Amino acid sequence: MGLNKKSVDDVNVKGKRVLVRCDFNVPLKEGKITDETRIVAALPTIQKLIDDGGKVILCSHLGKVKNGPNEGESLAPVAERLSEKLGRKVNFVADYHVTGEAATAAVNAMNEGDVVLLQNTRFRGAEETKNGEEFSKELADLADVYVCDAFGSSHRAHASVEGVTKFITAKGGENVVGYLMQKEINFLGNAVENPVRPFVAILGGAKVADKLNVINNLLEKCDTLIIGGGMAYTFLKAQGYEIGTSLVDNEKLDYCKEMMEKAKKLGKTLLLPVDAVTIKEFPNPIDAPVDTEVYSSTNMPSDREGCDIGPESAKLFADAVKSAKTVVWNGPMGVFENPTLAAGTLAVAKALAETDATTIIGGGDSAAAVNQMGYGDKMSHISTGGGASLEFLEGKELPGVVAADDK
């Protein structure tokens, strides 16, 4: 899926009102931003629009907003941080209605190069629902041009992602993608559709169910598929092995057999863990000290739980990565939040850091793990969207991408 879409480089925004959908869904602790990766990722597009004389109106969601609008999920801390990063005041519209009179007044008062940030789009309640039409139109009424730069939300057909584009088109405006979207799609798209081979894909995480279509799609595209994390135990059980009290998805045993058969038929290498780091009971809290024992994957005790790949598996997986030219990784190899159970994830991260292949980290926990372990700057690309990158790897079209104007 190449990107034959108009970008911010294809549009003249001088003097125009430009609505930019960003992904400012940042983690907050007591009102303070604990990881500003997503804010930093949005800066090149925002700076470009400021430099070109646009009137830049930013919008984003934050959190899940289950109990209605609240100060704990306000975008106020983001406005503050953005002002520091851009070296200019970002005018924050605190109105919970998002597109009400306060927003209209703020936009009307803008000069070229000014920046306004609207309140959390999910405070409207209509953002994610089918009745988002009115909200979509109100967002479009504020702008002449729409820029989607929120890859992390691009797999959702929400008012501020897809809905708004119809109303921008209807008034003769343009819908384009920002630099971050362009980069995401170029990296992920090329990796999947046009990889430099050998192409190795690594999947981890807890559940097979979350990655059904990804496994299926990647088996057709890659040369080697590595499966670790909790989902590996369903594959091991499907081969008839004892997996003790490890995570298992009994409804997906036949699917795992099918995928192993498919790999064989296509002549692909499917690697599963050959040993496991096991524990007696799950640590509470999750990062508490825990006693471990390593067992062969074919010989696990019935009363122990596999919570990380063992040292032999780590070596096997690292060796597979060494000869690769393209590597995509989505999902940790174990309970990486616990230092004792993070060794497998660390070994894979280290192998990726040491290879000269193009290395793409598919957002979510894998991105957190790589950054936590200090290898972030060694990767070719770390995706800002967990769910979106997964759907992309499944081969799905993303509404936020489809909605942009073609070149």
Side-chain angles (χ1 to χ4, degrees):
M1 197 193 306
L3 182 66
N4 191 29
K5 295 291 182 181
K6 282 188 184 173
S7 82
V8 284
D9 289 328
D10 301 311
V11 62
N12 175 14
V13 298
K14 189 167 171 56
K16 292 182 180 168
R17 302 167 304 161
V18 188
L19 179 69
V20 189
R21 176 52 158 99
C22 299
D23 182 4
F24 293 143
N25 186 22
V26 293
L28 290 173
K29 199 170 184 180
E30 290 157 14
K32 294 272 178 272
I33 297 166
T34 58
D35 179 352
E36 54 186 42
T37 308
R38 287 178 167 169
I39 293 176
V40 173
L43 294 175
T45 295
I46 298 169
Q47 194 60 58
K48 157 82 175 160
L49 296 168
I50 291 170
D51 293 345
D52 287 358
K55 300 174 180 179
V56 186
I57 307 147
L58 309 173
C59 69
S60 173
H61 78 282
L62 175 67
K64 299 234 188 300
V65 191
K66 289 206 158 56
N67 304 313
N70 66 89
E71 277 310 294
E73 289 170 306
S74 164
L75 282 173
V78 173
E80 200 177 309
R81 201 72 197 94
L82 265 176
S83 299
E84 290 166 21
K85 294 275 185 200
L86 291 167
R88 63 174 59 226
K89 182 174 166 42
V90 171
N91 182 11
F92 178 55
V93 182
D95 177 15
Y96 285 179
H97 190 72
V98 188
T99 51
E101 286 173 21
T104 306
V107 170
N108 288 342
M110 290 178 88
N111 295 312
E112 290 182 11
D114 282 355
V115 183
V116 162
L117 174 63
L118 303 179
Q119 185 54 282
N120 187 342
T121 54
R122 290 199 180 161
F123 281 6
R124 260 302 277 278
E127 162 77 330
E128 306 161 71
T129 62
K130 292 283 179 251
N131 349 327
E133 290 282 294
E134 190 184 334
F135 185 32
S136 299
K137 184 180 184 309
E138 287 171 22
L139 284 166
D141 286 344
L142 293 173
D144 308 303
V145 175
Y146 171 76
V147 179
C148 187
D149 208 26
F151 181 72
S153 301
S154 63
H155 59 312
R156 309 210 181 280
H158 288 172
S160 65
V161 176
E162 184 200 45
V164 60
T165 60
K166 292 179 282 201
F167 294 100
I168 291 283
T169 301
K171 62 199 266 188
E174 291 174 281
N175 300 293
V176 303
V177 297
Y179 290 138
L180 177 62
M181 285 280 280
Q182 214 173 11
K183 186 176 175 220
E184 292 274 15
I185 289 153
N186 286 348
F187 267 104
L188 286 163
N190 282 334
V192 177
E193 298 304 331
N194 193 20
V196 182
R197 297 188 182 276
F199 171 27
V200 175
I202 307 168
L203 294 177
K207 298 185 196 135
V208 175
D210 294 346
K211 308 244 163 87
L212 289 179
N213 299 330
V214 184
I215 296 167
N216 197 11
N217 191 41
L218 283 180
L219 264 182
E220 289 171 17
K221 317 276 188 189
C222 69
D223 302 297
T224 299
L225 178 61
I226 296 173
I227 292 182
M231 60 195 267
Y233 299 103
T234 304
F235 277 86
L236 292 169
K237 185 171 179 180
Q239 290 179 311
Y241 297 124
E242 170 65 63
I243 57 163
T245 58
S246 306
L247 267 182
V248 65
D249 189 340
N250 285 314
E251 288 175 13
K252 297 292 178 281
L253 293 170
D254 286 343
Y255 173 83
C256 291
K257 285 176 192 164
E258 262 172 56
M259 290 301 109
M260 291 185 278
E261 202 47 51
K262 178 173 182 166
K264 209 178 285 173
K265 214 176 271 170
L266 294 173
K268 305 296 173 83
T269 304
L270 177 63
L271 294 180
L272 292 166
V274 292
D275 57 352
V277 175
T278 68
I279 60 175
K280 197 79 172 154
E281 51 193 56
F282 208 78
N284 183 17
I286 198 164
D287 57 356
V290 62
D291 292 325
T292 63
E293 287 175 14
V294 178
Y295 287 90
S296 157
S297 299
T298 59
N299 189 29
M300 283 173 65
S302 60
D303 61 347
R304 295 186 72 87
E305 179 179 0
C307 281
D308 191 16
I309 58 171
E312 289 303 315
S313 305
K315 189 178 176 313
L316 176 72
F317 294 177
D319 285 346
V321 165
K322 276 178 191 154
S323 57
K325 288 280 179 276
T326 306
V327 186
V328 172
W329 178 22
N330 187 295
M333 297 292 102
V335 184
F336 79 100
E337 300 89 341
N338 186 298
T340 314
L341 303 170
T345 302
L346 182 58
V348 169
K350 187 169 184 287
L352 264 65
E354 289 171 357
T355 177
D356 48 15
T358 298
T359 49
I360 298 153
I361 311 301
D365 282 344
S366 330
V370 167
N371 285 327
Q372 255 172 45
M373 291 165 176
Y375 288 120
D377 60 346
K378 299 279 194 297
M379 304 299 155
S380 309
H381 179 64
I382 298 180
S383 178
T384 53
S389 64
L390 264 184
E391 292 203 7
F392 207 99
L393 295 175
E394 282 179 33
K396 282 187 181 175
E397 290 196 319
L398 308 182
V401 178
V402 175
D405 298 342
D406 292 327
K407 274 190 177 173

